[in-house]
C-alpha cells in the first residue's frame, strides 16, 4: 500500500512514497516514522484516505488497510479557519484531452461537400478533487465537468454529432433563468431543438439521466499528430504467422534480429500474441523427473503450469524448486509433476536443448522497432510482456536470458494472424470493468462514388470490430458493420456493443477488403472514438447540477471560445424583522456572511445580529450587494472581509462574536478620552502631502455587463493619475459602486492624514474598532479637561463647577461630559459664569459628584476645536491598561458615497 507525502495540495507529484502492508492506525504510522510526533488540534499536515479527508481527532483510531491509498499533505503555516470544501466525487480517473480537434480538410478532388459542425460546447474546467465553487449573489459561471462529455453520431442523421454534458454549477441552490443559460454567447433557448437542458437540485436522483452516465474515452483512439480526426483504417491483408529470420538476439523483454539476419514479418504490431520458444541448454536428472539449469528467465515456483518443447515435449506442473544460494554457481533444480499431480518419471536424462515457459509460451507484443533499409521499412525488434497460463500479464517477469540463437521459433497466436488491425486498445482504465462499449467511425471526405458525369453514386465500406477480455487474452469476438452512402459531406456513425459479461475489454478494428484506387471514390474511414460505460454516481450531495444535450449544426459552430455558462443567483436563508425566513434568491451581504460563518460551526449567538441587521438595511437601501465566486481555498476571514468591503465595512471579532464595523458618516460621539483618564499621551502625528503621493485610484472589478475584469478610474479635479493606487474588488459587479469605493479611498488619501495614540487604564475596553470618539489634550487653544466638582439645577439649565479654571476666548464654546459608563454626553452650548463656573441648557443624565464613584470628566473648548474627532483603529490590552491608536474623522471622506461617475 502506498503512503504518499505531498508538499501541498497543488498539482505535482509526491515528495516521498512509503510502502507498508501492515494494518495500523494513522497516528501509529506517524509515530513510527517521526518519533517526535505529537497530537495537535490543528496539525501542520492533513491526511486523506482514498480521497476522503480524515479529521485529526480520528487519527488515533482510524486504521487503514493494505489496499488503501493514503495521501499526506503539508499545510501552509499560519492558516486561518478554512471553509471545508466538498470535492467532486465522480471522475476520479478522468483524464484531459477529451475534445476532438476541428475535423481536417480533405483534398478537393473530386469534390468537397459541407463540413459537419462538431458539438464542441465545453464547460469551464476539469477539477478533480478540487473545492466545489461557492457562489455569493448573482454571477456568471462556467460549470465544471462532473463526467467526461459523451459524444456520438446520431443514428438517423449521420451528419449530426451530439454531445451530452453533466456539469456542476456550484454548492447549494440557485435561481437560474432559461434566458441566462448560454452556449458561447448564444442563449440556449435560441438553439431550439439543437439543445436541451435540465437543472437538478442538490441530491437529485440522476439514475435515468443519460448525461449522468460515465463514459470513459480511450485516449489512444481519436485525433492524431498527422492531422487526422481518427485512426485511418487500412485495407485487410494476411500476416505471415511465422518469423523466418536466420537468428535472434534475446535480452530482457526484447527480441532483435541481428544485421543481415532478416526481419520480422510485415504486419506484426503492438497487441498481437506471439508464441516464443527460446531454446537453452538444460540437464535432466537421473531420476527422470527433475531439470537443472539457469532458470532465471522462467522464475519457477511450486504449482506453476509450464510447457516444455524441444528434446522433451509436454505440459507439466512444477513440484518443487531448490534455489541456489547467494554466489552459489550451482544451477537451479526443479522437480516436476504431471498435470494430474503424479510425479514425473522416465524423462531421458542428460544434457538437453529445451524451450521452457508458461503453458502456451505466449507473449504480447508491446512495441516494435522499425528500421529503414534501402528505402524500405522493416521490423527489426519487438518488445513483449509474458502471459501466464491463464492469459494474465506476468508483471514480475525479469525477461529472457541474454543469448543470440538460430533455433528459436516465433509464431503468431491463431487469433492475431490477420491484419492490418488498428489496436488493440484497452477500452477502460486498469481496475475498471464494463458491459457496454461504443465505437465511432468517421468519413472525413464523405462516402460516395462519383460517376464520370458527376453523378453521386452509393459507395459502401465494411468495418470489423473485435473485442475480448484483456486479462485472459482469449478468442476474439467479431462484429461486422457495413456503411453505405452517396454524399460528399462528412458523416459519422456510432456503434454500441453489449459485452456478455463485465470485464476489461481490449478492442481492435480494421476495414474489410482492399482500398479502391479509383480517384472518384471517397471512402476514407477513420476510427474516431472508443468509449466504455463505467459505474458513475447517481446523485451529487449538496450541489446543483445541469445536464445538457447539444447537437452540432449550423446554429453552433466549432469554436474554442464557446463555453457553456449560466448566470446563477444564490438561494440562502434571509432575515426580516430579526427573524429567519426560508431560502430565497439574494444578493445581499448579510445572508452570505451568516452562511459562511455557520458553515464552520458558528451559531446565531456567535454573530452580532443587532449590528448586522442594521447594516443590512443600509446596504439593501443603497443597493450594495456581494456577487462573488469562491472556487479556491481561502480563509473565512478573507471571505467575510471581501463581503463586508462591498459595503464599506470590515470584519471584527467583538467579545467573541462576529461583528461588522462600517466606516460611515457619524454624528454622535461614543466615548471621550482626555488627560483625566489617560495614562500616557496623547500623541498626534500628521503626514504631510508629498510629491510622490498617490494622485488617483484605479479599481479593478468584474462587470455584470461583460462578466470580464474591468477597471474604473477614480479621480478628483486636478488629478492627473501619474501615480495611482490599484485596488482589486471581489464581489462588486457594478461600475458605480466600484467607483464609489475607489473615490472613498481617494478621499482617505487626501483627508485621513492624522494619527493618534494614547494609553489608558481599562477605559479603552469600552470602545470598539472604528468607534467614533472625542479626544482631548493640553495643547493651548484647543479643549481643556477637568473633573466635574458639582452640578446645580438653575433657571434655564444647569450650573457646572469644574476642578480647573477654564480659558474663554472669542466665539462660542461647548462642553461635553463623560457618563459613568464612559460614553460622551453632549456637547452642550456653554455659557460663562466666571473662571470656575459655566452653565449649560440641558443634560441627558444626572451626574454623580458624591465621589462614591469617579466624578464625570469634563471637556471644554471652542466650538470648532473643543476635541479631536477620531475613529479607533487599535486597542491593545496590556496588564491593567491598554494602548489605543486612532485616525482622524473627516466628513469629507464620505462625499462621494452616493455620487455617480461623470
Amino acid at each position: 500500500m502506498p503512503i504518499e507525502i505531498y508538499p501541498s495540495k497543488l498539482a505535482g507529484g509526491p515528495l516521498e512514497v512509503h510502502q507498508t502492508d501492515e494494518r495500523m492506525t494513522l497516528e501509529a504510522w506517524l509515530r513510527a516514522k517521526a518519533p517526535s510526533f505529537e497530537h495537535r488540534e490543528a496539525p501542520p499536515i492533513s491526511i486523506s484516505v482514498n480521497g476522503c479527508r480524515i479529521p485529526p481527532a480520528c487519527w488515533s483510531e482510524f486504521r487503514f488497510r493494505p489496499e488503501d491509498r493514503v495521501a499526506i499533505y503539508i499545510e501552509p503555516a499560519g492558516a486561518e479557519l478554512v471553509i471545508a470544501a466538498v470535492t467532486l466525487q465522480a471522475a476520479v480517473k478522468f483524464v484531459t484531452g477529451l475534445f476532438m480537434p476541428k475535423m481536417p480538410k480533405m483534398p478537393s478532388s473530386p469534390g468537397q461537400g459541407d463540413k459537419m459542425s462538431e458539438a464542441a460546447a465545453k464547460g469551464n474546467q476539469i477539477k478533480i478533487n478540487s473545492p466545489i465553487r461557492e457562489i455569493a449573489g448573482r454571477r456568471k459561471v462556467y460549470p465544471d465537468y462532473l463526467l467526461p462529455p459523451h459524444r456520438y453520431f446520431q443514428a438517423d442523421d449521420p451528419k449530426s454529432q451530439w454531445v451530452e454534458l453533466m456539469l456542476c454549477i456550484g454548492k447549494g441552490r440557485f435561481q437560474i433563468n432559461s434566458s441566462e443559460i448560454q452556449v458561447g454567447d448564444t442563449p440556449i433557448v435560441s438553439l431550439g431543438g439543437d439543445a436541451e437542458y435540465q437543472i437538478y437540485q442538490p441530491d437529485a436522483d440522476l439514475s435515468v439521466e443519460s448525461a449522468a452516465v460515465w463514459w470513459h474515452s480511450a485516449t489512444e483512439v481519436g485525433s492524431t499528430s498527422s492531422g487526422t480526426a481518427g485512426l485511418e483504417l487500412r485495407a485487410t491483408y494476411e500476416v505471415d504467422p511465422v518469423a523466418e529470420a536466420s537468428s535472434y538476439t534475446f535480452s530482457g523483454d526484447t527480441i532483435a534480429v541481428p544485421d543481415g539476419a532478416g526481419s520480422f514479418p510485415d504486419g506484426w504490431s503492438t497487441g498481437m500474441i506471439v508464441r516464443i520458444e527460446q531454446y537453452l541448454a538444460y540437464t535432466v536428472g537421473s531420476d527422470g523427473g527433475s531439470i537443472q539449469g539457469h532458470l532465471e528467465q522462467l522464475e519457477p515456483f511450486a504449482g506453476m503450469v509450464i510447457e516444455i518443447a524441444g528434446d522433451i515435449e509436454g505440459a507439466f506442473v512444477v513440484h518443487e524448486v531448490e534455489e541456489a544460494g547467494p554466489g552459489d554457481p550451482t544451477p537451479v533444480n526443479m522437480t516436476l509433476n504431471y498435470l494430474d499431480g503424479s510425479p514425473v518419471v522416465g524423462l531421458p536424462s542428460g544434457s538437453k536443448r529445451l524451450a521452457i515457459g508458461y503453458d502456451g509460451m505466449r507473449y504480447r507484443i508491446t512495441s516494435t522497432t522499425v528500421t529503414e533499409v534501402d528505402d524500405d521499412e522493416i521490423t527489426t525488434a519487438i518488445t513483449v510482456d509474458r502471459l501466464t497460463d491463464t492469459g494474465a500479464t506476468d508483471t514480475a517477469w525479469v525477461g529472457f536470458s541474454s543469448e543470440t540463437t538460430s533455433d528459436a521459433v516465433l509464431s503468431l497466436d491463431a487469433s492475431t494472424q490477420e491484419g492490418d488491425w488498428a489496436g488493440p486498445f484497452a477500452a477502460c482504465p486498469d481496475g475498471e470493468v464494463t458491459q457496454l462499449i461504443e465505437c465511432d467511425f468517421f468519413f472525413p471526405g464523405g462516402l460516395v462514388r462519383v460517376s464520370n458525369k458527376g453523378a453521386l453514386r452509393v459507395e459502401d465500406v465494411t468495418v470489423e470490430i473485435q473485442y475480448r477480455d484483456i486479462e485472459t487474452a482469449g478468442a476474439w469476438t467479431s462484429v461486422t458493420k457495413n456503411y453505405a452512402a452517396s454524399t460528399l459531406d462528412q458523416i459519422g456513425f456510432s456503434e454500441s456493443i453489449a459485452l456478455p459479461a463485465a470485464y476489461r475489454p481490449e478492442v481492435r478494428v480494421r476495414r474489410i477488403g482492399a482500398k479502391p484506387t479509383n480517384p472518384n471514390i471517397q471512402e476514407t474511414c477513420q476510427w474516431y472514438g472508443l468509449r466504455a460505460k463505467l459505474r458513475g454516481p447517481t446523485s451529487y450531495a449538496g450541489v446543483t447540477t445541469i445536464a445538457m444535450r447539444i447537437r452540432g449544426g449550423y446554429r453552433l459552430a466549432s469554436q474554442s471560445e464557446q463555453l457553456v455558462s449560466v448566470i446563477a443567483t444564490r438561494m440562502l436563508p434571509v432575515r426580516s424583522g430579526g427573524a429567519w425566513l426560508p431560502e430565497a434568491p439574494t444578493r445581499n451581504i448579510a445572508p452570505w456572511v451568516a452562511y459562511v460563518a455557520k458553515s464552520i460551526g458558528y451559531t446565531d449567538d456567535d454573530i452580532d445580529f443587532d449590528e448586522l441587521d442594521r447594516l443590512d438595511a443600509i446596504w439593501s437601501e443603497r443597493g450594495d450587494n456581494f456577487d462573488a465566486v469562491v472556487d479556491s481555498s481561502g480563509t473565512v476571514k478573507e471571505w467575510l472581509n471581501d463581503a463586508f468591503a462591498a459595503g464599506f465595512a470590515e470584519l471584527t471579532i467583538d467579545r467573541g462574536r462576529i461583528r461588522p464595523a462600517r466606516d460611515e458618516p457619524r454624528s454622535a460621539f461614543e466615548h471621550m478620552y482626555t488627560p483625566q483618564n489617560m495614562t500616557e499621551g496623547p500623541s498626534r502625528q500628521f503626514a504631510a502631502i508629498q510629491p510622490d503621493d498617490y494622485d488617483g485610484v484605479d479599481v479593478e472589478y468584474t462587470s455584470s455587463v461583460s462578466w470580464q475584469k474591468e477597471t474604473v478610474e477614480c479621480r478628483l479635479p486636478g488629478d492627473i493619475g501619474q501615480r495611482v493606487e490599484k485596488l482589486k474588488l471581489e464581489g462588486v459587479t457594478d461600475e458605480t459602486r466600484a467607483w464609489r469605493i475607489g473615490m472613498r479611498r481617494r478621499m482617505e488619501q487626501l483627508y485621513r492624514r492624522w494619527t493618534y495614540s494614547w494609553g489608558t487604564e481599562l477605559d479603552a475596553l469600552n470602545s470598539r474598532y472604528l468607534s467614533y470618539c472625542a479626544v482631548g489634550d493640553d495643547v493651548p487653544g484647543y479643549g481643556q479637561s477637568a473633573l466635574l466638582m458639582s452640578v446645580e439645577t438653575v433657571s434655564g439649565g444647569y450650573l457646572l463647577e469644574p476642578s480647573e479654571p477654564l480659558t474663554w476666548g472669542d466665539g462660542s464654546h461647548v462642553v461635553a461630559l463623560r457618563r459613568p459608563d464612559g460614553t460622551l454626553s453632549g456637547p452642550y452650548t456653554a455659557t460663562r459664569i466666571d473662571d470656575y463656573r459655566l452653565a449649560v441648557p440641558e443634560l441627558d443624565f444626572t451626574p454623580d459628584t458624591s465621589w462614591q464613584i469617579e466624578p464625570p470628566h469634563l471637556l471644554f473648548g471652542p466650538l470648532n476645536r473643543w476635541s479631536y474627532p477620531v475613529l479607533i483603529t487599535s486597542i491593545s490590552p496590556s496588564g491593567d491598561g491598554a494602548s489605543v491608536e486612532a485616525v482622524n474623522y473627516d466628513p469629507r471622506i464620505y462625499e462621494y458615497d452616493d455620487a455617480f461617475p461623470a
Side-chain angles (χ1 to χ4, degrees):
M1 179 200 68
I3 298 179
E4 301 170 332
I5 301 177
Y6 292 84
S8 71
K9 292 180 180 175
L10 301 176
L15 291 173
E16 302 174 28
V17 178
H18 301 267
Q19 298 289 338
T20 179
D21 292 327
E22 297 183 50
R23 181 181 176 92
M24 57 197 307
T25 67
L26 293 172
E27 183 169 318
W29 187 88
L30 290 169
R31 292 188 183 278
K33 293 296 181 181
S36 61
F37 170 85
E38 61 181 18
H39 180 76
R40 300 182 188 176
E41 291 185 2
I45 61 173
S46 62
I47 302 179
S48 295
V49 177
N50 300 327
C52 297
R53 183 178 180 273
I54 307 302
C58 301
W59 292 357
S60 61
E61 299 177 0
F62 187 94
R63 292 182 177 273
F64 54 78
R65 302 163 299 177
E67 64 268 29
D68 290 335
R69 178 182 176 273
V70 180
I72 301 176
Y73 300 94
I74 300 174
E75 298 289 350
E80 300 181 60
L81 291 173
V82 179
I83 290 184
V86 180
T87 60
L88 301 180
Q89 301 174 9
V92 176
K93 297 181 180 178
F94 186 13
V95 296
T96 57
L98 294 172
F99 308 112
M100 299 295 180
K102 290 187 68 176
M103 298 181 182
K105 293 182 179 180
M106 295 298 296
S108 57
S109 177
Q112 186 172 7
D114 297 332
K115 296 198 67 169
M116 181 179 67
S117 299
E118 288 181 286
K122 60 180 180 179
N124 182 23
Q125 291 187 52
I126 301 164
K127 294 184 176 179
I128 302 174
N129 292 331
S130 297
I132 296 178
R133 70 165 56 86
E134 293 269 8
I135 299 176
R138 180 177 184 268
R139 281 298 292 259
K140 179 178 182 178
V141 297
Y142 295 95
D144 302 319
Y145 283 111
L146 287 166
L147 296 169
H150 178 211
R151 300 175 182 277
Y152 58 93
F153 297 104
Q154 185 75 15
D156 57 356
D157 182 9
K159 296 182 182 180
S160 295
Q161 185 193 47
W162 287 82
V163 60
E164 291 183 326
L165 308 173
M166 194 69 202
L167 305 168
C168 173
I169 295 174
K171 189 176 180 183
R173 293 163 53 87
F174 302 91
Q175 180 189 67
I176 302 172
N177 299 323
S178 59
S179 61
E180 294 180 322
I181 303 173
Q182 295 182 326
V183 180
D185 293 327
T186 304
I188 196 169
V189 294
S190 299
L191 296 176
D194 289 339
E196 304 168 358
Y197 78 93
Q198 178 66 49
I199 294 175
Y200 291 95
Q201 299 299 330
D203 306 296
D205 182 11
L206 303 174
S207 57
V208 296
E209 172 56 64
S210 61
V213 175
W214 183 1
W215 286 98
H216 169 81
S217 294
T219 56
E220 297 89 342
V221 180
S223 58
T224 68
S225 59
S226 62
T228 62
L231 306 179
E232 184 171 344
L233 301 181
R234 294 179 290 179
T236 303
Y237 62 90
E238 288 291 324
V239 176
D240 292 335
V242 179
E244 295 182 350
S246 58
S247 64
Y248 302 93
T249 298
F250 292 80
S251 179
D253 62 355
T254 301
I255 306 124
V257 177
D259 290 344
S263 65
F264 289 95
D266 291 341
W268 283 32
S269 60
T270 300
M272 289 184 171
I273 308 299
V274 184
R275 175 183 172 88
I276 300 176
E277 301 173 11
Q278 181 198 23
Y279 289 95
L280 300 172
Y282 296 95
T283 301
V284 177
S286 58
D287 57 2
S290 63
I291 297 177
Q292 287 185 345
H294 295 284
L295 298 167
E296 294 84 0
Q297 73 163 20
L298 179 63
E299 299 174 300
F301 58 87
M304 182 180 186
V305 181
I306 64 172
E307 181 180 350
I308 301 177
D311 294 338
I312 298 173
E313 303 282 347
F316 306 91
V317 177
V318 176
H319 172 67
E320 184 179 19
V321 179
E322 298 177 6
E323 298 287 352
D328 185 353
T330 304
V332 177
N333 182 75
M334 66 176 179
T335 56
L336 305 176
N337 288 341
Y338 292 110
L339 296 180
D340 62 5
S342 60
V344 172
V345 294
L347 296 179
S349 61
S351 178
K352 306 294 179 183
R353 193 156 181 83
L354 306 174
I356 307 177
Y358 267 108
D359 188 22
M361 297 188 195
R362 297 195 303 165
Y363 300 79
R364 187 194 305 273
I365 298 177
T366 58
S367 66
T368 60
T369 301
V370 177
T371 305
E372 185 172 331
V373 178
D374 297 330
D375 296 328
D376 190 18
E377 291 186 344
I378 61 174
T379 302
T380 56
I382 60 174
T383 59
V384 298
D385 282 341
R386 183 168 75 167
L387 303 182
T388 68
D389 58 299
T390 63
T393 301
D394 184 0
T395 57
W397 181 51
V398 297
F400 295 105
S401 298
S402 296
E403 183 173 307
T404 298
T405 180
S406 60
D407 60 353
V409 178
L410 286 76
S411 59
L412 284 183
D413 182 88
S415 66
T416 55
Q417 287 185 12
E418 288 187 340
D420 183 8
W421 293 97
F425 303 117
C428 58
D430 189 16
E432 297 284 351
V433 296
T434 185
Q435 282 193 271
L436 184 65
I437 59 175
E438 286 187 349
C439 287
D440 301 324
F441 300 102
F442 176 57
F443 294 84
L447 181 58
V448 65
R449 179 189 299 269
V450 183
S451 71
N452 293 334
K453 294 184 179 181
L456 303 182
R457 306 298 187 190
V458 173
E459 179 67 14
D460 71 304
V461 168
T462 300
V463 172
E464 183 179 9
I465 309 166
Q466 288 193 343
Y467 59 90
R468 67 179 179 184
D469 187 342
I470 196 172
E471 297 299 331
T472 60
W476 293 96
T477 299
S478 290
V479 176
T480 301
K481 296 292 180 179
N482 182 263
Y483 304 110
S486 58
T487 178
L488 285 166
D489 296 339
Q490 296 177 338
I491 56 176
F493 302 88
S494 294
E495 304 293 348
S496 295
I497 301 174
L499 307 183
Y503 55 77
R504 185 184 181 212
E506 59 178 346
V507 183
R508 63 181 184 177
V509 172
R510 67 176 178 180
R511 59 178 296 162
I512 302 298
K515 186 177 177 65
T517 59
N518 187 342
N520 290 335
I521 296 178
Q522 290 279 27
E523 45 72 74
T524 297
C525 181
Q526 296 172 354
W527 190 8
Y528 186 83
L530 171 63
R531 293 177 300 279
K533 181 180 178 181
L534 304 182
R535 296 183 300 272
T538 57
S539 67
Y540 293 90
V543 299
T544 297
T545 58
I546 181 171
M548 303 189 72
R549 188 169 178 263
I550 304 171
R551 177 170 58 189
Y554 296 109
R555 301 197 213 178
L556 185 63
S558 175
Q559 300 292 334
S560 61
E561 69 268 19
Q562 289 183 330
L563 308 175
V564 172
S565 64
V566 302
I567 297 177
T569 303
R570 186 66 180 270
M571 298 180 67
L572 293 171
V574 296
R575 287 175 64 83
S576 177
W580 286 107
L581 300 179
E583 284 187 350
T586 179
R587 300 173 62 196
N588 293 353
I589 297 172
W592 170 254
V593 167
Y595 166 75
V596 171
K598 290 183 177 182
S599 69
I600 60 167
Y602 279 79
T603 66
D604 285 2
D605 293 337
D606 300 316
I607 303 172
D608 188 341
F609 274 111
D610 290 340
E611 183 64 8
L612 188 60
D613 288 344
R614 181 186 77 85
L615 293 182
D616 184 40
I618 295 174
W619 292 328
S620 298
E621 182 180 0
R622 289 174 47 83
D624 291 338
N625 299 315
F626 186 65
D627 304 310
V629 177
V630 181
D631 57 3
S632 61
S633 60
T635 65
V636 167
K637 178 181 177 182
E638 293 168 347
W639 290 19
L640 296 184
N641 264 328
D642 286 342
F644 285 138
F648 295 120
E650 295 179 66
L651 167 68
T652 66
I653 303 298
D654 185 64
R655 292 170 174 81
R657 295 199 303 168
I658 292 176
R659 183 179 190 275
R662 187 173 189 265
D663 188 358
E664 58 191 354
R666 311 294 181 93
S667 58
F669 289 106
E670 298 176 40
H671 301 94
M672 184 173 76
Y673 296 94
T674 72
Q676 304 299 329
N677 64 335
M678 292 180 180
T679 59
E680 181 181 340
S683 171
R684 286 198 308 155
Q685 299 206 357
F686 178 75
I689 295 178
Q690 302 295 324
D692 60 348
D693 280 358
Y694 291 123
D695 65 342
V697 175
D698 286 351
V699 178
E700 182 183 278
Y701 71 104
T702 299
S703 168
S704 61
V705 178
S706 66
W707 296 110
Q708 301 294 323
K709 294 288 187 183
E710 296 188 7
T711 299
V712 59
E713 294 183 350
C714 306
R715 305 286 189 270
L716 292 172
D719 286 347
I720 61 176
Q722 184 174 358
R723 187 168 184 268
V724 299
E725 182 178 4
K726 297 183 182 296
L727 300 182
K728 292 185 178 181
L729 294 182
E730 295 293 338
V732 177
T733 59
D734 178 76
E735 179 184 12
T736 295
R737 282 159 181 79
W739 177 81
R740 289 174 179 175
I741 292 173
M743 291 302 293
R744 165 76 78 89
R745 180 57 184 153
R746 179 70 186 113
M747 300 299 279
E748 289 176 352
Q749 293 170 353
L750 282 182
Y751 301 119
R752 189 159 281 171
R753 309 192 72 89
W754 285 95
T755 58
Y756 302 82
S757 62
W758 66 90
T760 72
E761 292 181 343
L762 296 179
D763 303 52
L765 300 184
N766 290 322
S767 298
R768 295 185 169 106
Y769 180 71
L770 294 186
S771 285
Y772 179 48
C773 300
V775 176
D777 62 9
D778 294 327
V779 176
Y782 287 84
Q784 295 176 256
S785 65
L787 299 177
L788 181 62
M789 303 304 295
S790 66
V791 58
E792 180 181 349
T793 302
V794 297
S795 175
Y798 297 89
L799 182 66
L800 307 180
E801 179 186 0
S803 62
E804 310 289 339
L806 303 179
T807 302
W808 295 77
D810 296 334
S812 300
H813 290 69
V814 295
V815 65
L817 284 78
R818 181 174 179 266
R819 300 187 185 96
D821 62 0
T823 57
L824 182 146
S825 175
Y828 303 105
T829 300
T831 302
R832 186 176 186 273
I833 303 300
D834 52 39
D835 288 347
Y836 281 92
R837 292 183 300 166
L838 70 159
V840 295
E842 59 178 328
L843 287 175
D844 61 5
F845 78 108
T846 302
D848 186 344
T849 58
S850 66
W851 289 88
Q852 297 297 315
I853 60 173
E854 183 180 17
H857 300 173
L858 178 149
L859 184 57
F860 164 84
L863 176 62
N864 295 321
R865 298 198 309 274
W866 67 278
S867 70
Y868 305 118
V870 304
L871 296 175
I872 304 296
T873 58
S874 174
I875 301 173
S876 302
S878 178
D880 294 333
S883 58
V884 186
E885 295 178 357
V887 294
N888 65 293
Y889 172 83
D890 192 319
R892 292 174 293 183
I893 288 174
Y894 314 102
E895 181 177 341
Y896 292 91
D897 283 5
D898 298 306
F900 294 87

